[in-house]
Amino acid sequence: MDIKMVPPAGGDGQDCLRGRALAALAATGWQDKLDGVRAISDAAALDCAKAFAPIAGLPGRPSRPELVAPSQVSQRSMATQEGRAALLHALAHIEFNAVNLALDIIWRFAGMPEAFYRDWLRVAREEAHHFDLLRRRLEALGHAYGDFPAHDGLWEMAQRTHDDLLARLALVPRTLEARGLDASPQIRDKLAGAGDRESAAIVDIILADEIGHVAIGNHWYKLLCARAGKDPVACYAELARQYGAPRLRGPFNLEARRAAGFDDAELAALQAG
C-alpha cells in the first residue's frame, strides 16, 4: 500500500472531505471547530489520493487554556465543585485534542482506502460530541473551557509521528487514547462517589464510544502490519522505543481493551511491561 505524506506545496481541492477536515483542524475557536466537523458531509468527495500541503499554525486552538507541563496540572479534591470542574476540564481538553487528532489523520495521510477516512470522520464527530457534553457540564458548574491550565501530551505525540502512519496508529489511538479505557472506570467512580452522577454518566458515554475508537486504531494498525509482514507486538515495541512512547502501567481495563481489539499476545506484552 502506497501511503503518501504531505508534499511541500499544493493545497487546492479543499472542498473534498479530506480538505474540509484540514479546514476544521485549522479552526481556532472551539465553536468554529465543532461547526467545521458538523459541516463535513458524508456526500463530499473523498479524494483519497490527494496530498495536501499543511496550513500554518496547526492545530487551530483558542488562546486558552494555558498549556503547561503535565507536572503543573494540579490534582484537586473531588469533594469540592471546583475540584470536579478541574477534572472535567482536563477531560474536555483531552476530547478537544482527540477531535484534532482525528481530523489530522484524515487530511495528512493520503493513499488509504475510503473506509479509513470514513472511520476517522466518525471518530471526529463522536469526539466533538464528547467535548460538547463536557463543555456544557462545565458551564453548569460555573466554568468554561479554558478556565484551568492543561497539558498537550496527545498532540506532542501526533507531531512526532507526523510522517509515519504506522507509528501514529500504534502510539496515539492504541497507546495514549487507550489509556482512557483504563482510567475511565476510576474517574466515573470518583465522580459518582462525590454525588456528581451527571458527570459520571458523561464518562460512561465517552468510555463506550472510546472502545470503538481504539478498535478503529487497532484495525488499521494490524492491517498495515500484515501488509508490511510485521508482527504487531514486536512492531509496537520497536515503535514505542523509537518515538519515546510512555511506559504503560496498570491497572488495565482488560475487558475494554479486548473489546477494542487487543488480543491475548498484546495484553500479555502490556502486562509484562
Side-chain angles (χ1 to χ4, degrees):
M1 179 181 292
D2 181 22
I3 303 170
K4 300 175 183 177
M5 302 303 165
V6 179
D12 55 336
Q14 298 281 31
D15 199 43
C16 72
L17 188 153
R18 294 179 54 235
R20 290 181 183 183
L22 176 55
L25 178 64
T28 55
W30 62 260
Q31 185 65 67
D32 292 335
K33 195 176 297 288
L34 297 190
D35 290 345
V37 172
R38 295 187 187 109
I40 303 173
S41 170
D42 290 323
L46 261 169
D47 207 351
C48 299
K50 182 174 182 56
F52 292 88
I55 296 173
L58 293 179
R61 63 177 87 211
S63 58
R64 299 171 65 238
E66 177 190 6
L67 298 179
V68 299
S71 60
Q72 293 180 267
V73 179
S74 60
Q75 300 294 316
R76 307 197 188 195
S77 169
M78 291 297 96
T80 68
Q81 182 168 300
E82 182 88 357
R84 294 192 296 277
L87 173 60
L88 293 174
H89 188 276
L91 297 178
H93 185 66
I94 289 169
E95 297 301 322
F96 188 82
N97 265 324
V99 176
N100 284 334
L101 289 164
L103 294 171
D104 189 73
I105 205 170
I106 292 170
W107 81 267
R108 185 175 295 276
F109 298 101
M112 291 295 286
E114 179 176 325
F116 176 86
Y117 303 106
R118 297 208 180 277
D119 276 350
W120 291 107
L121 177 57
R122 170 195 149 193
V123 173
R125 288 168 172 166
E126 291 180 353
E127 303 288 22
H129 177 57
H130 298 165
F131 171 79
D132 205 36
L133 287 173
L134 291 162
R135 182 197 65 78
R136 291 173 185 272
R137 183 61 186 150
L138 270 172
E139 191 175 75
L141 295 176
H143 288 277
Y145 178 59
D147 282 357
F148 300 91
H151 71 81
D152 213 27
L154 271 173
W155 188 256
E156 287 170 3
M157 183 57 77
Q159 290 178 308
R160 288 185 226 170
T161 59
H162 73 278
D163 61 352
D164 187 338
L165 177 56
L166 189 61
R168 172 70 66 87
L169 293 167
L171 303 178
V172 175
R174 300 182 75 252
T175 301
L176 298 182
E177 293 186 272
R179 293 173 82 174
L181 304 184
D182 304 323
S184 288
Q186 300 168 46
I187 293 171
R188 176 200 59 213
D189 291 347
K190 285 181 180 179
L191 290 167
D196 190 346
R197 298 198 176 278
E198 294 90 344
S199 298
I202 293 172
V203 175
D204 280 333
I205 292 169
I206 293 172
L207 175 59
D209 288 345
E210 292 296 343
I211 289 172
H213 301 173
V214 176
I216 287 170
N218 264 321
H219 168 76
W220 291 106
Y221 170 75
K222 291 179 181 180
L223 185 145
L224 290 185
C225 281
R227 294 194 177 186
K230 296 177 180 288
D231 172 71
V233 175
C235 181
Y236 176 81
E238 178 184 342
L239 291 169
R241 286 193 298 271
Q242 180 180 347
Y243 288 93
R247 183 177 179 181
L248 302 183
R249 293 179 172 84
F252 301 109
N253 188 343
L254 298 180
E255 180 181 359
R257 283 178 173 269
R258 287 192 181 95
F262 288 95
D263 61 28
D264 289 342
E266 290 170 310
L267 293 177
L270 180 68
Q271 292 174 287

